[in-house]
Amino acid sequence: MNKHPRVCVVGSINMDMVTTTKKMPKQGETVLGESFKTYPGGKGANQAIAAARLGANVSIIGAVGDDTFGRSLLTHFQSEGIDQEGIQVIPNISTGIATIILSENDNRILVSSGANAKLTPEIVNDSHELLLASDVILLQFEIPMETVQFTVDFAYKHQIPVIINPAPFHEIPEDILKKVTYLTPNEVEFLSMTNMPLFESIKNKMIVTKGEQGVQFVASSGVLETIPAYQVHVKDTTGAGDTFNGALATELGRTKSIDESVHFANAAAALSIGRLGAQGGMPMRKDVTRFIEKVKA
Ligand code: RIB
């Protein structure tokens, strides 16, 4: 068992601008919000933080702008013990921003990609040593698809397991579907994938997060399994999927067992929704193990 697996995330880094409101505004409507705060976010960054808190040695390859948000996010990574050697600071462009509305236990998110859109295959290649040193590589779709393709090719060539969280959803090139180790769509993303030509042949690679309905995946026995969701108090669901992915990568690197990894990630994701901010509720390893034991008892 590898106690501190190396996880490399190639992905987005955002500052989240979060407004809470009792009522979600409808099209053309103005409502008064209740509170506003900025939080570190971005699917890539969130997954990196989740993995680090769960005991992985984490590096991130990404891009921020040369601005106040970018600098503050770099300091944040440092305080979380994440290797940020692979982050490029890009002049004359803003750091990625997510405008988030939280209401009625749900969220709506609008992302302005900023520097994330400038994360080229060349930047990733400049940090290929980080990829080579990894037990697991983790990707999402908030960066250019050619960069995802480059990273998947690299991982495949060097036989490093690679997980793609296909969010926000994009058509996925067939070559990526063939080479990826696991895909972790949520229910909506999964539905968008059902009409893809290769769908039948990649079913075994799918780990579908279904919110309150739990997680569905093909277990190592070959049987389609659904693990129910834990019943927990919901404060903010933003980042629950990211916690799941960071935890999955960490456990896969640690135990090599897909069954154990999905169970652990399901518990970590449940704990993450108890606090505000995508990363606010992301648990430490001891919190997850205690929670699992407590529920079993
Ligand atoms: O998955 C949640 C994340 O999506 C937020 O942190 C936001 O930045 C967007 O990328």
Side-chain angles (χ1 to χ4, degrees):
M1 174 120 30
N2 180 356
K3 271 187 113 184
H4 298 289
R6 293 200 60 93
V7 173
C8 182
V9 177
V10 181
S12 58
I13 302 168
N14 294 337
M15 188 59 91
D16 290 355
M17 323 276 273
V18 182
T19 301
T20 60
T21 166
K22 281 215 168 71
K23 185 173 179 280
M24 195 64 90
K26 295 199 188 77
Q27 194 171 3
E29 187 187 23
T30 303
V31 299
L32 292 180
E34 291 184 312
S35 70
F36 171 80
K37 205 165 180 295
T38 55
Y39 296 94
K43 294 186 193 303
N46 294 342
Q47 295 178 17
I49 300 281
R53 291 196 188 158
L54 295 168
N57 282 321
V58 181
S59 57
I60 180 162
I61 302 177
V64 293
D66 187 8
D67 53 18
T68 314
F69 286 152
R71 283 186 283 280
S72 132
L73 291 165
L74 290 178
T75 309
H76 174 63
F77 284 128
Q78 200 172 9
S79 69
E80 294 276 349
I82 290 175
D83 179 347
Q84 43 183 295
E85 208 183 297
I87 300 178
Q88 185 94 12
V89 178
I90 301 189
N92 303 320
I93 191 154
S94 138
T95 293
I97 298 292
T99 304
I100 302 183
I101 303 177
L102 286 185
S103 187
E104 297 150 27
N105 285 346
D106 214 342
N107 61 44
R108 301 224 169 148
I109 305 181
L110 178 67
V111 173
S112 310
S113 297
N116 296 306
K118 303 283 179 195
L119 183 66
T120 57
E122 291 71 29
I123 294 177
V124 176
N125 194 34
D126 286 346
S127 292
H128 68 270
E129 296 292 346
L130 296 174
L131 297 176
L132 278 178
S134 308
D135 296 300
V136 180
I137 295 171
L138 194 47
L139 288 154
Q140 322 72 31
F141 285 166
E142 285 184 332
I143 57 171
M145 191 54 91
E146 55 167 349
T147 305
V148 174
Q149 176 79 63
F150 172 85
T151 310
V152 171
D153 285 343
F154 188 93
Y156 187 76
K157 182 170 163 207
H158 295 279
Q159 299 189 345
I160 306 167
V162 59
I163 301 171
I164 297 182
N165 173 221
F169 187 74
H170 274 269
E171 283 303 311
I172 311 177
E174 284 193 10
D175 185 60
I176 290 185
L177 292 174
K178 284 182 189 152
K179 292 177 178 169
V180 68
T181 316
Y182 290 110
L183 283 154
T184 57
N186 65 18
E187 211 168 9
V188 177
E189 291 146 7
F190 176 75
L191 285 178
S192 313
M193 293 170 81
T194 49
N195 54 8
M196 290 182 322
L198 281 185
F199 180 71
E200 285 303 318
S201 64
I202 57 158
K203 272 182 171 171
N204 287 2
K205 299 182 174 189
M206 298 265 204
I207 301 166
V208 187
T209 54
K210 298 174 129 190
E212 287 170 12
Q213 268 76 53
V215 185
Q216 200 168 55
F217 73 113
V218 178
S220 52
S221 60
V223 173
L224 184 69
E225 207 179 293
T226 302
I227 308 178
Y230 290 95
Q231 298 304 309
V232 286
H233 169 72
V234 181
K235 183 93 180 168
D236 181 1
T237 56
T238 315
D242 297 330
T243 308
F244 182 90
N245 279 280
L248 181 75
T250 304
E251 285 312 281
L252 212 51
R254 215 172 74 89
T255 65
K256 314 280 180 239
S257 154
I258 189 61
D259 305 342
E260 281 179 45
S261 302
V262 173
H263 278 86
F264 184 87
N266 188 36
L271 285 178
S272 75
I273 62 182
R275 286 205 188 151
L276 277 182
Q279 299 169 12
M282 284 177 177
M284 306 296 283
R285 167 166 294 278
K286 63 175 175 10
D287 302 324
V288 182
T289 42
R290 260 191 227 143
F291 176 69
I292 293 173
E293 277 160 23
K294 197 170 143 197
V295 174
K296 259 196 220 151

